């Protein structure tokens, strides 16, 4: 029997959904003490799946925007809190939840949805593709020296970490967050960060770049393993969030981190794959990439709007045939030119499913890679090369926001 799926409205249902999600993911901490549930959920977007009257699974989302190549912000759904109780797995509950959610998001007029996947083999069958990745990097402060050519940046000042959340929100919202893949951070996202930080012990710090009331970036960081801080040779700070809306803010905040005394190592858990940090240093080996992981899983909800929303480079036109089994109104052929995209009845040059198109949409991977994997069918010689030129971007996509 299929589970019944409906929107959860009441506070007790939302609390139950949060408990189901944390139980499903096993290793997550409990809800922060003092959490005000109505402020952590966007009304009308939390789904529950019921089996014999019991809440067995949940899926959630919040609305906002996502930056696409060219800088336009398109309507976006951040999908999160997808989980099923371990007593109810392998019964099609996730399938029912995500099918219901996709239809609802499309009806709302949201152009794309993204998520962060706890398991990598679930979401492709629902049309999601890996659209961006991130790198964990570690920097040896002893060996790190900025090149003389690196700009100085502007003024950096420390602010009270516990009282800075409104300031950080304003910096993020008022600045030009321009990299493709960046997403909106709503009030309830910031509230959850504040609750998590408030539930942790130990010091934390916030530095902002730029003059008062016109700040252009910030960095949040904290030390770890502080019990032996004064005698340790591996004193480490971890960068929790670094947002720079101008190149000057980026270099200014990096200068600040390198200037913090009594620190041997700086950990950057989430950086763009093409982050320029190593290029700033006289010894690029002072920073090393520890790991690379998938970040944005992107699902195109409205293919015509998504394709026409981003910009393209100058290259010969191509016709893409797209298939979408779950949202069949997306299925069709689209003419892509340097001027934009539109539906067409012309014969297809390339054929893709919607998940593969999602992986390619922000420029995080290349068409030839997916051709090699058998995920793109080529009908005309040279079409994949033309698509690579059309979809090419100056920088790799990166969100930097986890939810």
């Amino acid at each position: 029997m299929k589970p019944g799926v409906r929107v959860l409205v009441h506070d007790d249902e939302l609390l139950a959904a949060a408990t189901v999600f944390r139980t499903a993911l096993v290793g997550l901490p409990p809800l922060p003490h003092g959490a005000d549930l109505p402020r952590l959920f966007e009304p009308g977007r939390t789904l529950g799946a019921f089996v014999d009257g019991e809440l067995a699974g949940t899926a959630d989302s919040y609305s906002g925007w996502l930056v696409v190549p060219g800088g336009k912000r398109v309507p976006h759904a951040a999908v999160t809190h997808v989980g099923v109780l371990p007593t109810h797995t392998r019964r099609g509950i996730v399938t029912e939840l995500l099918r219901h959610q996709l239809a609802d998001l499309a009806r709302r007029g949201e152009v794309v949805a993204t998520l962060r996947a706890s398991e990598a083999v679930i979401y492709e069958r629902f049309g999601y593709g890996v659209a961006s990745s991130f790198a964990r990097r570690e920097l040896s402060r002893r060996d790190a020296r900025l090149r003389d050519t690196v700009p100085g940046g502007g003024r950096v000042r420390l602010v009270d970490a516990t009282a800075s959340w409104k300031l950080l929100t304003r910096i993020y919202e008022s600045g030009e967050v321009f990299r493709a893949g960046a997403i909106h951070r709503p009030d309830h996202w910031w509230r959850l960060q504040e609750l998590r930080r408030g539930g942790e012990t130990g010091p934390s710090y916030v530095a902002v770049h730029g003059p008062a009331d016109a700040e252009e970036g910030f960095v949040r960081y904290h030390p770890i393993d502080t019990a032996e801080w004064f005698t340790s040779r591996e004193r480490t700070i971890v960068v929790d969030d670094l947002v720079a809306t101008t190149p000057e803010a980026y270099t200014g905040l990096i200068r600040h981190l390198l200037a913090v005394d009594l620190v041997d190592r700086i950990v950057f858990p989430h950086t763009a794959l093409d982050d320029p940090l190593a290029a700033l240093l006289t010894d690029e080996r002072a920073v090393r990439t520890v790991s690379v992981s998938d970040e944005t899983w992107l699902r195109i909800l409205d293919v015509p709007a998504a394709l026409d929303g981003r910009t393209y480079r100058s290259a010969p036109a191509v016709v893409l045939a797209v298939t979408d089994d779950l949202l069949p109104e997306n299925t069709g052929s689209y003419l892509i030119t340097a001027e934009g995209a539109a539906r067409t009845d012309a014969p297809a040059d390339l054929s893709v499913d919607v998940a593969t198109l999602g992986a390619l949409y922000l420029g995080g991977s290349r068409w030839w890679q997916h051709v090699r994997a058998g995920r793109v069918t080529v009908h005309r010689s040279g079409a994949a090369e033309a698509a690579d030129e059309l979809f090419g971007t100056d920088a790799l996509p990166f969100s930097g926001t986890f939810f």
Side-chain angles (χ1 to χ4, degrees), residues 10 37 39 81 95 105 110 135 153 162 188 218 249 264 270 290 313 341 346 354 361 398:
H10 303 294
L37 279 173
R39 294 182 61 189
H81 300 147
T95 297
L105 299 180
E110 285 155 353
T162 60
H188 45 276
F218 64 83
D264 304 299
H270 309 116
V290 178
R313 288 181 168 174
V354 73
Y361 178 65
F398 177 66

Side-chain angles (χ1 to χ4, degrees), residues 355-377:
T356 305
L357 184 60
L360 288 156
Y361 178 65
L362 297 179
S365 57
R366 303 290 301 278
W367 285 81
W368 71 263
Q369 294 171 311
H370 294 278
V371 170
R372 190 76 58 88
R375 300 182 68 188
V376 175
T377 302

Side-chain angles (χ1 to χ4, degrees), residues 88-147:
H88 290 72
T89 56
R90 313 299 184 270
R91 300 189 190 182
I93 294 176
V94 166
T95 297
E96 289 302 311
L97 280 167
L98 292 186
R99 284 175 177 266
H100 187 105
Q101 185 183 61
L102 284 174
D104 177 63
L105 299 180
R107 282 194 299 268
R108 291 173 181 269
E110 285 155 353
V111 174
V112 294
T114 69
L115 57 78
R116 310 291 181 255
S118 58
E119 293 186 64
V121 296
I122 295 176
Y123 294 100
E124 189 177 306
R125 69 177 184 266
F126 300 104
Y128 287 87
V130 179
S132 75
S133 298
F134 71 93
R136 178 185 177 93
R137 292 186 165 97
E138 297 182 1
L139 182 145
S140 169
R141 185 173 169 274
R142 301 187 195 100
D143 301 322
R145 299 289 183 275
L146 291 175
R147 296 180 182 274

